[in-house]
Amino acid sequence: MTRVLVVGREGQVARALLRRLPRDGHAVVALEPPELDLTRPDTIAAALREHRPALVVNAAAYTAVDRAEEQPDLADAVNNLGVGALAAAAAATGAPMVHFSTDYVFDGLGGAPYAEDAATNPLGVYGVTKLAGERAALAAQPRSAILRTAWVCSPDGGNFVKTMLRLAAERDELRVVADQRGAPTFADDLAEAVAAMLPRLLAAPAGDEAFGVFHLTGAPHATWHGFATAIVAGATARGHGRNPRVTAITTAEFPTRARRPADGRLDCGRIGRVHGIRPADWRVSLDRCLDALLMPPTGGAQGETT
Ligand SMILES: NC(=O)c1ccc[n+]([C@@H]2O[C@H](COP(=O)([O-])OP(=O)(O)OC[C@H]3O[C@@H](n4cnc5c(N)ncnc54)[C@H](OP(=O)(O)O)[C@@H]3O)[C@@H](O)[C@H]2O)c1
């Protein structure tokens, strides 16, 4: 039995890890503020001392991309300084770390899927702080695996799938950006990858190729408009919403506070070569997510009467 400390408890990825890792017999403790607050190093050190995990998985982050532009210090405290403190505490305990990062470390101008070692150039505060957090993690705990991902969705929390479902019930037309490319990624697929990587991460020494930066998103690549179209089709097939028309618009027609990479596609080759993990087909994962959100659980079969 492996003791795993998950940082974050209510987030999408944290909840997926809490569903998945116990199935392999791991003892999982998930902590959030006030017990473990990434902006308070004293709580980090105390949590690691108390729980002495064999592995730390950081699923917590300041993820409000637009709000980060107004709260750069808080975003940096969580996504950079807190991650560095967590990695240092993990190293002091001898625990390797899994940490999540983002395609927003890139500017989206590369014109092709980004390899793990491609030059970074974040466009906004969120991406800047996440990139700094990657470096802080690897500096303080070289036995860290950084999983850069994108467009994370799940039945939990707020995300694009749930926004589209809400709007599909209210409107006859959805206007969705069609000039940003990336890949939807479901939190359960990220948790599955962590479960698959876990034994090797525990055993591998510093310097092993098991650690470092990896890309992991769903496949195939898509636009937000393509993703929305699939969500509406799946919802309509399940009797949800008004089957709205999904109209393609440009980023210029949907201004946001923070700039996003226009083409954040990630090449997920290294995690396949090193850990044998292939991107999951997000269309299959979307089906599961829509079933969880829209299909009422079927009642059990009526018991036999005698
Ligand atoms: N969501 C995406 O589309 C996306 C895309 C690319 C990469 N990622 C990365 O994937 C990882 C998981 O994302 P997610 O979608 O699961 O995020 P999420 O649902 O927003 O959850 C993040 C969690 O972190 C917690 N948190 C915030 N500040 C904290 C602090 N100071 N100390 C401890 N916990 C704190 C939040 O708690 P409160 O809610 O109480 O603040 C929340 O429970 C993150 O590293 C994120 O950067 C996400």
Side-chain angles (χ1 to χ4, degrees):
M1 185 184 71
T2 302
R3 289 169 71 83
V4 180
L5 173 61
V6 173
V7 182
R9 193 163 60 212
E10 300 300 327
Q12 301 187 83
V13 173
R15 290 178 66 162
L17 289 163
L18 278 166
R19 281 191 290 272
R20 178 62 187 85
L21 297 183
R23 286 188 1 225
D24 288 346
H26 305 307
V28 184
V29 181
L31 299 178
E32 62 175 14
E35 289 87 14
L36 198 168
D37 184 337
L38 286 172
T39 66
R40 290 191 43 209
D42 56 319
T43 65
I44 297 171
L48 272 281
R49 268 199 312 273
E50 180 184 344
H51 296 285
R52 304 215 62 89
L55 176 75
V56 173
V57 185
N58 180 27
Y62 183 109
T63 55
V65 175
D66 291 311
R67 208 182 322 134
E69 298 296 315
E70 276 121 45
Q71 296 187 312
D73 292 344
L74 180 56
D76 192 65
V78 179
N79 292 345
N80 174 24
L81 304 178
V83 173
L86 181 67
T93 319
M97 183 163 96
V98 176
H99 173 68
F100 294 93
S101 189
T102 170
D103 58 326
Y104 285 18
V105 298
F106 297 114
D107 60 18
L109 301 173
Y114 286 100
E116 292 78 359
D117 58 358
T120 51
N121 184 29
L123 298 175
V125 168
Y126 171 72
V128 167
T129 61
K130 292 294 290 184
L131 179 60
E134 292 182 0
R135 292 173 176 159
L138 286 165
Q141 171 50 304
R143 295 177 71 214
S144 291
I146 313 284
L147 300 187
R148 287 187 187 139
T149 188
W151 299 16
V152 177
C153 295
S154 78
D156 312 305
N159 57 57
F160 187 76
V161 172
K162 290 169 86 172
T163 301
M164 290 302 112
L165 292 179
R166 178 172 52 77
L167 295 177
E170 294 169 359
R171 300 186 184 175
D172 295 317
E173 182 190 23
L174 307 185
R175 294 166 55 77
V176 185
V177 171
D179 57 0
Q180 284 177 31
R181 299 166 82 186
T185 309
F186 281 80
D188 283 336
D189 296 324
L190 294 173
E192 192 63 40
V194 173
M197 294 167 75
L198 190 149
R200 177 143 177 219
L201 295 179
L202 291 178
D208 192 276
E209 63 173 1
F211 303 111
V213 175
F214 298 92
H215 289 172
L216 185 60
T217 64
H221 295 130
T223 66
W224 289 112
H225 176 264
F227 188 23
T229 303
I231 295 165
V232 168
T236 303
R238 289 166 177 79
H240 172 88
R242 302 155 67 126
N243 191 18
R245 186 168 65 254
V246 185
T247 303
I249 63 167
T250 63
T251 300
E253 291 175 87
F254 188 74
T256 52
R257 183 92 172 79
R259 285 170 64 208
R260 271 104 170 131
D263 184 353
R265 289 175 297 158
L266 299 179
D267 177 332
C268 301
R270 182 166 184 248
I271 200 166
R273 290 190 297 277
V274 174
H275 288 288
I277 294 165
R278 313 275 162 212
D281 187 327
W282 60 261
R283 296 164 298 193
V284 175
S285 307
L286 172 62
D287 270 335
R288 272 196 219 109
C289 180
L290 293 176
D291 282 345
L293 289 168
L294 300 177
M295 305 303 280
T298 50
Q302 193 174 341
E304 282 182 20
T305 51
T306 53

